């Protein structure tokens, strides 16, 4: 038997709160210094203690099309599960538990939530579902934490998620990104990049500091490694400036100098930097040559968030004017790069913002949750463009829900 494994107890312990605490504590203690390749058998072993079997860990692929089984000893490895119209996809997209009755029991799909980030889905089979779900939900949360921790020093999870060859530029961009989605009671965000395996110049970043959500979206000129390098410098400069606690205008100036000094006068990055007060809904932004975001209210685009623009980052523009908007609870703000609306065949019209708005309105009425909306929108727009993505096409969606974090209960 491999290091770190031990046979399950012969007899099933009673599923009291004490049993659950012991099970989770043992899993946490054993996983602390365990190498990544032994995480899979450890998870399967601990699930067996609550009567579960046929355990699968499903991770989101980079194109956000399927959930891919993680290989590992004692895990059940089948075919990838489609995100559309599957119990696994429902559990993942909507952060809910899905149950499917089977001849030999019930197949359970539990979202793997690491705090507010969604890692994937854990699937297992039980003879019956009684009082196990509360413990299993907590077990899934601990598994998600373990996967996130181990992910930082192994390629195992990355390789499982990769469904196509990936360019070097895309490798750089994916390593730069924060989690694709984040959700807390006050605010939720979700982003998607296309082409997932060949993206180069597009990127986004965000951070939640106290009651302020900071967001940046960048689009570096060109494609390939040059664009990826510029985007990396732009995001790095943005993070450095943001962490220095300076205003949006000063952040723009810092990013502008960083790009100009590193790449010279003929290179630029369009950018949009935002700050949202999650307690009040007060949104501020600076637009440096980027398409204007769309304000979505009651599941319809009500208008562009237009305002004064300044020169792209790297061109030495004057101090930008800061635009402002008070959001209403439930409002969403959709940011996007120009590759989404400028796609066209030679001699034909561009895809255009009018078609974008049409599809936003249509999908907003058919999907729930920012993760599901931004994913469905991106894939629908790609189909409408004939599957073409000659330039990077990125979406980032923000939903303001309101309320101060310190007024919320944190107990389960």
């Amino acid at each position: 038997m491999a290091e770190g494994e031990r046979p399950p107890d012969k007899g099933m312990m009673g599923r009291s709160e004490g049993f659950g605490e012991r099970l989770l504590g043992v899993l946490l203690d054993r996983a602390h210094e365990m190498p990544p390749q032994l995480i899979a058998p450890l998870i399967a072993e601990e699930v067996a203690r609550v009567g579960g079997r046929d355990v699968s860990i499903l991770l989101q692929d980079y194109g956000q099309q399927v959930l891919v089984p993680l290989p590992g000893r004692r895990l059940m490895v089948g075919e990838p599960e489609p995100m559309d119209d599957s119990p696994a996809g429902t559990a993942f997209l909507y952060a809910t538990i899905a149950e499917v009755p089977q001849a030999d029991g019930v197949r359970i799909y539990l979202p793997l939530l690491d705090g507010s980030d969604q890692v994937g889905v854990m699937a297992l089979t039980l003879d019956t579902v009684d009082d196990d779900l509360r413990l299993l939900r907590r077990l899934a949360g601990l598994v998600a934490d373990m996967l996130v921790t181990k992910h930082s020093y192994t390629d195992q999870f990355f390789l499982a998620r990769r469904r196509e060859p990936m360019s070097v530029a895309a490798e750089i961009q994916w390593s730069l990104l924060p989690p694709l989605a984040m959700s807390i009671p006050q605010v939720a965000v979700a982003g998607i990049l296309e082409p997932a395996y060949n993206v180069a110049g597009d990127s986004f970043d965000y951070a939640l500091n106290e009651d302020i959500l900071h967001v940046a979206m960048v689009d570096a000129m060109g494609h390939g490694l040059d664009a990826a390098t510029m985007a990396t410098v732009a995001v790095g400069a943005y993070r450095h400036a943001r962490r220095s606690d300076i205003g949006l205008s000063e952040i723009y100036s810092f990013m502008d100098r960083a790009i100009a000094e590193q790449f010279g006068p003929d290179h630029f990055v369009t950018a949009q930097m935002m700050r949202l007060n999650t307690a009040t809904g007060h949104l501020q932004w600076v637009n440096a040559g980027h398409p204007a975001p769309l304000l979505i209210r009651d599941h319809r685009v009500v208008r562009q968030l237009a305002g004064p623009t300044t020169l792209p980052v790297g061109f030495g523009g004057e101090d930008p004017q800061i635009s402002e908007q008070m959001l209403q609870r439930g409002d969403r703000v959709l940011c996007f790069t120009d590759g989404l609306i400028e796609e066209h065949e030679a001699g034909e019209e561009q895809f255009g913002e009018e078609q974008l708005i049409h599809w936003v309105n249509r999908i907003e009425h058919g999907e729930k949750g920012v993760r599901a909306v931004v994913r469905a929108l991106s894939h629908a727009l790609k189909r409408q463009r004939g599957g073409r993505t000659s330039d990077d096409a990125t979406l980032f969606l923000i939903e303001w829900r309101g309320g101060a974090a310190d007024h919320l209960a944190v107990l389960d």
Side-chain angles (χ1 to χ4, degrees):
M1 184 168 292
E3 179 186 355
E5 292 190 53
R6 68 169 185 250
D9 291 347
K10 298 274 188 178
M12 290 293 295
M13 290 184 284
R15 293 173 192 164
S16 64
E17 187 73 13
F19 164 74
E21 290 173 355
R22 289 194 298 275
L23 183 145
L24 296 175
V26 167
L27 178 59
L28 183 61
D29 291 342
R30 296 180 65 199
H32 180 61
E33 294 184 348
M34 186 168 286
Q37 70 269 19
L38 295 183
I39 291 299
L42 176 61
I43 292 170
E45 176 185 331
E46 296 304 315
V47 168
R49 293 178 181 278
V50 292
R53 61 185 184 277
D54 299 333
V55 181
S56 294
I57 303 296
L58 303 166
L59 305 178
Q60 174 185 225
D61 78 309
Y62 284 95
Q64 298 196 35
Q65 297 281 359
V66 295
L67 290 161
V68 187
L70 179 70
R73 283 177 290 125
R74 299 186 63 181
L75 290 182
M76 188 173 79
V77 181
E79 294 298 316
E81 299 268 3
M83 285 195 198
D84 296 317
D85 302 321
S86 77
T90 297
F92 179 76
L93 290 173
Y94 307 109
T96 188
I97 298 175
E99 302 180 23
V100 180
Q102 296 181 330
D104 61 344
V106 182
R107 190 71 172 162
I108 307 292
Y109 298 86
L110 300 114
L112 295 172
L113 295 169
D114 172 50
S116 60
D117 178 27
Q118 204 154 327
V119 178
V121 171
M122 182 169 72
L124 56 99
T125 300
L126 296 171
D127 289 335
T128 59
V129 179
D130 40 43
D131 58 351
D132 300 310
L133 287 183
R134 181 183 178 90
L135 176 57
L136 287 172
R137 181 167 55 83
R138 291 177 171 177
L139 177 62
L142 185 53
V143 169
D145 290 341
M146 291 163 48
L147 294 176
V148 169
T149 301
K150 305 298 181 183
H151 185 276
S152 60
Y153 57 87
T154 182
D155 291 330
Q156 180 181 357
F157 309 132
F158 172 87
L159 292 172
R161 295 176 61 196
R162 189 167 66 182
R163 305 293 294 163
E164 300 175 19
M166 184 174 282
S167 69
V168 175
E171 294 264 15
I172 293 171
Q173 291 302 81
W174 280 106
S175 68
L176 187 68
L177 286 174
L180 292 180
M182 180 273 294
S183 178
I184 60 171
Q186 299 82 24
V187 68
V189 302
I192 188 170
L193 293 83
E194 290 182 353
Y197 296 93
N198 199 35
V199 67
D202 281 12
S203 191
F204 60 79
D205 192 45
Y206 64 86
L208 183 62
N209 298 327
E210 299 293 339
D211 284 337
I212 304 299
L213 174 70
H214 305 259
V215 172
M217 203 168 186
V218 304
D219 181 1
M221 64 171 284
H223 206 71
L225 278 175
D226 287 347
T229 303
M230 268 195 293
T232 300
V233 172
V235 171
Y238 167 72
R239 288 175 177 168
H240 181 81
R242 181 189 74 211
R243 292 164 182 167
S244 299
D245 196 25
I246 58 178
L248 288 174
S249 179
E250 291 80 10
I251 288 177
Y252 165 80
S253 298
F254 187 87
M255 294 172 65
D256 180 73
R257 289 194 301 272
I259 296 297
E261 291 172 2
Q262 184 66 34
F263 299 100
D266 297 327
H267 294 74
F268 66 89
V269 176
T270 64
Q272 196 152 240
M273 289 75 74
M274 293 182 163
R275 283 182 174 173
L276 172 63
N277 187 312
T278 61
T280 66
H282 183 217
L283 177 69
Q284 297 177 298
W285 71 94
V286 162
N287 191 332
H290 218 63
L294 301 177
L295 176 61
I296 303 167
R297 181 169 292 159
D298 297 326
H299 304 293
R300 291 192 62 81
V301 175
V302 293
R303 65 182 179 88
Q304 287 183 328
L305 289 179
T309 62
T310 190
L311 292 176
V313 170
F315 276 173
E318 297 180 356
D319 288 347
Q321 296 185 45
I322 298 175
S323 300
E324 300 182 77
Q325 172 73 36
M326 288 300 299
L327 300 182
Q328 297 180 14
R329 289 177 187 263
D331 278 358
R332 291 175 173 177
V333 176
L334 179 66
C335 304
F336 55 94
T337 57
D338 59 11
L340 203 74
I341 56 176
E342 292 181 356
E343 187 70 57
H344 64 93
E345 291 186 0
E348 294 189 4
E349 293 184 358
Q350 295 181 348
F351 182 77
E353 194 168 273
E354 186 175 334
Q355 286 201 68
L356 170 61
I357 292 173
H358 165 78
W359 281 97
V360 171
N361 292 338
R362 180 170 175 174
I363 287 171
E364 275 280 339
H365 279 91
E367 295 285 354
K368 297 179 180 178
V370 293
R371 179 192 288 270
V373 166
V374 80
R375 175 188 168 273
L377 179 58
S378 180
H379 292 167
L381 293 174
K382 186 174 182 179
R383 289 193 298 270
Q384 292 303 307
R385 299 193 307 267
R388 294 184 304 275
T389 309
S390 59
D391 189 12
D392 297 345
T394 299
L395 292 165
F396 191 80
L397 185 62
I398 306 165
E399 178 183 85
W400 181 61
R401 299 167 174 173
D406 56 1
H407 294 157
L408 297 173
V410 294
L411 298 177
D412 188 4

